[in-house]
Amino acid sequence: MEQDNTYIMFDWAMKHMLRDKANFGILEGLVSVLLGEEITIVELLESESNQVSDNDKFNRVDIKAKNSKGHLIIVEVQLTRQLHYLQRILYGTCKAITEHINIDQKYDQVKKVYSISILYCDYGQGDDYVYHGETRFKGIHTGTDLMVTLKEDGVIVPHLPREVFPEYYLVRVNVYDKIPETPLDEWMTYLKTGKVKEDTRTPGLQEVKKKLQYLLMSPKERREYDAHIDTIMVQNDVLDTAREEGLAEGLEEGKKIGRAEGLEEGRAEGRAEGKAEGRAEGLAEGLEEGKAEERRNTALKMISMGMSNEIIISLTGLSEKEINSLRDF
């Protein structure tokens, strides 16, 4: 079927539209398709991570919801690559658990958490576009799963640990590249392109067609939305350019250092061995220096775009002192 209608991109909708209870069906559809079970969202929960500032679009956008089973669902959109991302989503799930249990409550009140990360950036290596992580306790000799007993409504019921511990979904939007055949594929197509099949029956996407039409936005909303898309494109272009320039400079520097060190080592330990070791060491040092230069170049471009130190630190790994020195340069 043709995908000839374009709708508001999901990252914008997450921040501006999906908090409205009338639009819960969109988020319910995505989570239901991803988890493979029907999910009903009862309410959205406030969290310190629910940011609405302009700078936040470079960091994270997330919604924390509770479903009809009392489970917590965290949905985050990540637009740019961030260092220590796994640690951040781990912290997010732990924070969600502790936010929703009081000190006087028993441990049976601990909530099951689903953490869903929709990644519009390159993160990790793998040949799939959706990865699922869960906690399992397996016997080191038998390989069998441990069953634990929990009390539910006064009855002792056996459970697998993964039914209690958080689960993680990493949705790698950029690597998806296929003709949609399944409901999950249709969602991936929308997440990547903003397009939906005209005759879709996929949960959530029918609501997208009704409620997320670009043409239904007011002129002011369209201007804000278009500016958002332009900003993301510029930002990605800055990062890609800086990465390419840093890699090229690193390779060139590596060749120079490799030749110099190779000649020096060759005199001491033998010409052939020296050249090989010198080139290898020089290339490694040159690449490292190139990466450092890439981070500095990226920071300079972000400074010129008026980005805050916090954003630049999260994207480049530079210290605040280093960034301030670049601002004074």
Side-chain angles (χ1 to χ4, degrees):
M1 289 292 173
E2 292 185 3
Q3 298 170 337
D4 52 1
N5 291 320
T6 301
Y7 300 90
I8 298 166
M9 294 295 288
F10 188 75
D11 68 292
W12 175 268
M14 276 274 287
K15 192 159 193 170
H16 297 272
M17 307 176 77
L18 300 192
R19 300 184 189 282
D20 186 341
K21 190 170 184 178
N23 295 330
F24 279 8
I26 296 172
L27 198 60
E28 288 173 346
L30 169 62
V31 178
S32 296
V33 168
L34 197 58
L35 272 58
E37 61 177 295
E38 186 173 349
I39 297 295
T40 300
I41 293 176
V42 177
E43 62 177 321
L44 296 187
L45 304 169
E46 287 305 316
S47 168
E48 65 182 23
S49 58
N50 286 340
Q51 303 290 337
V52 294
S53 68
D54 290 339
N55 287 339
D56 184 56
K57 61 178 171 288
F58 297 110
N59 185 12
R60 66 171 178 241
V61 180
D62 51 22
I63 282 180
K64 185 169 65 173
K66 183 169 71 174
N67 68 9
S68 57
K69 297 180 180 179
H71 299 157
L72 303 179
I73 300 169
I74 301 172
V75 184
E76 299 185 0
V77 174
Q78 186 71 17
L79 297 173
T80 56
R81 187 170 61 87
Q82 185 177 31
L83 296 174
H84 312 305
Y85 186 71
L86 289 181
Q87 290 90 330
R88 188 172 74 71
I89 61 174
L90 172 61
Y91 174 83
T93 58
C94 295
K95 183 71 172 175
I97 292 170
T98 57
E99 282 178 343
H100 295 279
I101 184 170
N102 297 323
I103 193 169
D104 59 341
Q105 290 181 312
K106 296 181 180 180
Y107 289 122
D108 61 357
Q109 297 300 308
V110 169
K111 304 297 185 183
K112 165 83 174 183
V113 178
Y114 294 93
S115 174
I116 300 171
S117 298
I118 301 174
L119 306 173
Y120 284 90
C121 53
D122 295 332
Y123 186 80
Q125 297 180 356
D127 56 3
D128 208 329
Y129 48 88
V130 178
Y131 283 87
H132 175 217
E134 61 184 11
T135 299
R136 300 181 64 183
F137 288 74
K138 298 185 67 173
I140 63 173
H141 300 104
T142 63
T144 57
D145 285 304
L146 173 70
M147 295 290 292
V148 296
T149 54
L150 300 174
K151 191 174 183 179
E152 291 183 357
D153 299 325
V155 180
I156 301 299
V157 181
H159 281 276
L160 291 168
R162 65 173 179 265
E163 298 176 68
V164 178
F165 282 82
E167 294 185 36
Y168 301 87
Y169 289 84
L170 300 181
V171 181
R172 305 168 72 218
V173 177
N174 287 354
V175 302
Y176 175 77
D177 185 20
K178 58 181 292 190
I179 298 174
E181 299 176 351
T182 67
L184 180 56
D185 289 346
E186 287 192 39
W187 260 104
M188 294 298 299
T189 298
Y190 165 62
L191 292 175
K192 185 171 185 178
T193 67
K195 296 182 179 180
V196 180
K197 281 186 176 181
E198 186 63 34
D199 61 347
T200 185
R201 296 181 179 274
T202 295
L205 292 182
Q206 297 177 48
E207 286 80 1
V208 168
K209 289 182 60 181
K210 295 176 183 176
K211 300 176 179 180
L212 298 189
Q213 293 184 36
Y214 177 79
L215 294 179
L216 293 181
M217 300 174 80
S218 68
K220 180 176 182 295
E221 289 172 332
R222 285 188 212 170
R223 287 194 296 271
E224 293 175 349
Y225 176 73
D226 291 342
H228 165 76
I229 297 299
D230 289 343
T231 300
I232 296 303
M233 293 178 64
V234 169
Q235 179 199 4
N236 289 337
D237 182 62
V238 167
L239 294 175
D240 290 343
T241 300
R243 188 176 298 114
E244 292 172 2
E245 290 176 353
L247 181 59
E249 290 176 9
L251 287 170
E252 185 62 32
E253 189 66 22
K255 291 177 182 178
K256 293 178 181 178
I257 296 174
R259 283 194 292 270
E261 291 191 2
L263 290 173
E264 184 65 26
E265 290 290 329
R267 295 189 184 97
E269 300 180 13
R271 185 177 299 275
E273 183 179 349
K275 283 183 177 179
E277 291 183 1
R279 287 195 179 97
E281 292 177 6
L283 182 58
E285 291 182 13
L287 285 172
E288 187 60 34
E289 186 173 332
K291 290 178 181 178
E293 185 65 24
E294 172 193 346
R295 290 193 291 269
R296 290 192 291 270
N297 288 338
T298 300
L300 285 170
K301 291 177 181 179
M302 289 180 174
I303 289 170
S304 69
M305 293 172 66
M307 296 184 188
S308 68
N309 282 8
E310 183 182 359
I311 297 171
I312 299 173
I313 289 170
S314 68
L315 293 174
T316 66
L318 294 178
S319 68
E320 186 164 12
K321 182 178 179 181
E322 291 173 312
I323 294 171
N324 287 334
S325 68
L326 291 174
R327 288 186 184 277
D328 296 334
F329 180 71

